[in-house]
Amino acid sequence: MNTLFDKIWDSHVVKSIEDGPQQLYIDRLYCHEVTTPQAFEGLRARGIRCFRPDKIFCMPDHNTPTHDQDKPIADPVSKAQVDTLERNAAEFGLTHYGMMSPDNGIIHVVGPEKGLSLPGMTIVCGDSHTSTHGAMGAVAFGIGTSEVEMVLASQCILQQKPKSMSIRIEGKLGPGVTAKDLALFLMMRISTSGATGYFVEYRGEAVRSLSMEGRLTLCNLSIEMGARGGFIAPDETTFEYIKGREFAPKGADWDAAVEYWKTLRSGDDAVFDREILFDASEVAPMVTYGTNPGMGIPVDGTVPEDAAPHSLAYMGFAPGEKMLGRKVDYVFLGACTNGRIEDFRAFASIVKGRRKAEGVVAWLVPGSWAVRRQIEEEGLDRILEASGFEIRQPGCSACLAMNDDKVPAGKYCVSTGNRNFEGRQGPGARTILASPLTAAAAAVTGVITDPRTML
Amino acid sequence: MKQKFDIIESTCVPLPVENVDTDQIIPARFLKATGRDEKFFGENLFRDWRFHADGTPEPSFVLNDPRYSGCILVAGRNFGSGSSREHAAWAIAGYGFRVVISSFFADIHKNNELNNFVLPVVVSEGFLSELFASISADPKMKVRVDVPSQRVTNLATGRSERFELNSYKKYCLMNALDDIDWLLEQKEAIEDFEKKSRR
């Protein structure tokens, strides 16, 4: 009651169906190429148009290659899917940022950086990591393709209102400990289903102290705790980030918007369905040892004795084993989780003056062209190249390996992505989730390394 | 596929694994299709557990075990976690399942099943473990899922439970109607809402 989640959700309810779901109005729909073709096909089959095309933005990201984007995509099936999105956007009158457009990138990186995702909004996309946009102070969540079709057709979806959860993290994160580590820590504690059925509000000093990039990372991983979404009430950090962005309100509209956004906070008397409290000083750099993101441990820890045998067999780990010093074959920096400028700064801060380890293949994939341009403006590209790293072109890339960036079977990849499921980075690939700092430490040493020893 | 629900009685396919994520239900490389051919997705349901890399079946996986068949999948806790891909629901429907029984479902996948006329039935941990034991003792045992009365019954032991299903969704399932049919009738209400809230 009287939580920020209630305020935003309830103000978007068009109608409540008795003993049924609510009809929720959606302010922003994002469309990528993988989960929308069948939704557009549905509109065609019903002979209807998009209800509010100006609220919908499309861009391909999952299939896009991370090199030679100026050439046609080699895989004909990927190409067909990317082309289908472009055709659908044109047919239904929607804004489309194509593969070589300077505006293209991963949808969850581009939305916030263009000022398309704003406080107080309801935001959906056929992608579970839509929770990312919660960092802007929005109610943002992933939906299925049928639900995408609902929004295309009516700018609404039918949903049961989730319960509300407060996750409060007090205190300060230590040096070398990032938002990614905080999220992996939360999953270790509450498991990958600990927040299922809930919408999470992240609160407390450690959350307030995060940059927008850090907040986007934390909210991104809400779904990995099972939560429908997770958000952070907007504050000066949020307003500062939004100001001046392409779709941000301007002039008098800006002042009015900020006035309104300042009211977007849970009441002092707010009652959550569940509240959890953590101490940030307990969080260390984290790595995963298993096949779901909740199977994580501090980087200097050992594989739990009671870990699921099936997962350990897949990963080639044994109970009681240390993670430090394990050989690494691949390193992936990027994804909607860690493909932002701050992540590249963090990675560069570790590799500066060092060399990429022999035998390690590193994929550094910016989350958008805007991120890549900023990398170049800040001269990070020169630091990374001097250390033997190459910066690729933006896309989802090796996070889920729908393009060519696949980790071979049996190989170990330290990934800044969001999932270590079996086969996620390619059939048989073994994924170890970690922060950009931990990934950088592995990239230059060739083994799992505590980044705190290299700061 | 839209189809009417009433009372289903069937043998079951047991998958006593917890945290089955949608990447296992249908791996990402099968998401490149632009159509909705459920047969294609059904053939690739649990692809990497069901087949080796060379396409030969893995005999120990339950879908390749001739003892088990039926239109009810019985799965461990936290079924359908991870990616929002509706292709997972299409694969389950395409294989021929109409009901999935588990003690806990991930939110997005649960909605996706309902939107594809696959019924997720949430049962207690006790019901689920007894059901796995019943199937193991007799693969030919049956379960009855009675949508009108919202009851699920293990016909081997007689144990029966009520399952949750709101009356709106129940009406939709029993009459083969989907949410878009309902939403398309709401145009005026949506326009009024937009005016009122200046969106």
Side-chain angles (χ1 to χ4, degrees), chain A residues 84-151:
Chain A
T84 300
L85 180 65
E86 183 170 12
R87 223 173 27 247
N88 282 330
E91 181 181 337
F92 290 94
L94 310 179
T95 304
H96 176 260
Y97 300 136
M99 202 165 69
M100 276 304 283
S101 154
D103 299 306
N104 181 262
I106 304 172
I107 222 158
H108 308 312
V109 175
V110 172
E113 79 187 6
K114 291 190 82 67
L116 286 165
S117 300
L118 297 172
M121 278 184 164
T122 48
I123 301 172
V124 296
C125 173
D127 192 295
S128 59
H129 293 109
T130 309
S131 60
T132 311
H133 308 262
M136 313 308 296
V139 164
F141 53 97
I143 56 176
T145 299
S146 296
E147 293 166 316
V148 171
E149 189 178 338
M150 292 179 206
V151 183

Side-chain angles (χ1 to χ4, degrees), chain A residues 6 16 46 59 92 100 103 157 180 201 205 217 241 246 254 259 290 318 338 403 445:
Chain A
D6 293 318
S16 295
R46 290 173 199 260
M59 67 205 79
F92 290 94
M100 276 304 283
D103 299 306
I157 49 171
K180 178 66 165 288
E201 179 174 352
E205 185 192 357
T217 300
Y241 175 91
E246 185 180 344
W254 169 259
E259 272 312 293
N338 283 124
N403 67 357
T445 60

Side-chain angles (χ1 to χ4, degrees), chain A residues 288-290 303 311-319 321 323 326 412 432:
Chain A
T288 59
Y289 59 86
V303 176
S311 290
L312 294 192
Y314 182 86
M315 291 299 295
F317 292 152
E321 226 176 4
M323 291 296 285
R326 297 276 325 198
Y412 289 95
I432 297 166

Side-chain angles (χ1 to χ4, degrees), chain B residues 4-45:
Chain B
K4 290 186 182 178
F5 272 80
D6 191 22
I7 295 171
I8 293 173
E9 252 185 50
S10 171
T11 50
C12 302
V13 177
L15 185 66
V17 180
E18 295 191 352
N19 301 314
V20 173
D21 59 75
T22 53
D23 274 73
Q24 306 317 314
I25 298 175
I26 186 95
R29 62 186 186 279
F30 297 106
L31 310 190
K32 297 187 185 190
T34 52
R36 206 167 180 154
D37 177 6
E38 287 191 348
K39 189 167 165 283
F40 166 79
F41 293 114
E43 283 165 359
N44 292 300
L45 174 67

Side-chain angles (χ1 to χ4, degrees), chain A residues 11-15 17 19-21 23 25 27 34 37-38 46 48 51-52 55 63 75 77-78 81 84 126-128 142-147 149-150 153-154 156 158-160 192-193 196-197 223 226 228 292 400 402 419 421-422 424 427, chain B residues 2 19 21-24 28-29 31-36 41 48-49 77-78 81-87 90 104-108 111-112 115-116 165-169 178-184 186-187 189-191 193-194 196-197 199:
Chain A
S11 70
H12 285 79
V13 172
V14 178
K15 214 179 243 191
I17 301 175
D19 189 26
Q23 180 188 358
Y25 190 85
D27 295 315
V34 180
Q38 296 85 355
R46 290 173 199 260
I48 52 176
F51 185 68
R52 291 290 177 256
K55 294 181 187 291
N63 281 279
D75 175 355
V77 193
S78 284
Q81 203 166 47
T84 300
D127 192 295
S128 59
I143 56 176
T145 299
S146 296
E147 293 166 316
E149 189 178 338
M150 292 179 206
S154 70
C156 292
L158 295 182
Q159 287 290 295
Q160 297 275 7
T192 53
S193 60
T196 301
I223 181 71
R228 203 59 206 279
N292 75 54
L400 84 169
M402 279 190 75
R419 290 184 175 139
F421 296 149
E422 288 178 35
R424 175 80 176 179
Chain B
K2 286 187 190 180
N19 301 314
D21 59 75
T22 53
D23 274 73
Q24 306 317 314
R29 62 186 186 279
L31 310 190
K32 297 187 185 190
T34 52
R36 206 167 180 154
F41 293 114
D48 292 342
W49 285 351
R77 196 176 186 286
N78 196 26
S81 57
S83 158
S84 63
R85 58 189 68 168
E86 193 161 316
H87 313 67
W90 300 337
F104 195 89
F105 288 84
D107 289 328
I108 302 178
N111 279 350
N112 287 341
N115 284 330
N116 286 282
L165 183 65
N166 68 58
S167 37
Y168 164 81
K169 207 68 215 182
D178 68 22
D179 289 351
I180 299 174
D181 297 327
W182 188 92
L183 281 166
L184 288 174
Q186 303 300 315
K187 192 161 170 278
I190 299 167
E191 284 169 349
F193 175 87
E194 287 176 325
K196 198 177 71 204
S197 58
R199 282 172 208 285

Side-chain angles (χ1 to χ4, degrees), chain A residues 319-342:
Chain A
E321 226 176 4
K322 267 187 144 124
M323 291 296 285
L324 285 177
R326 297 276 325 198
K327 187 176 171 294
V328 170
D329 307 296
Y330 285 73
V331 168
F332 169 57
L333 173 67
C336 56
T337 313
N338 283 124
R340 298 183 183 79
I341 188 65
E342 196 173 88

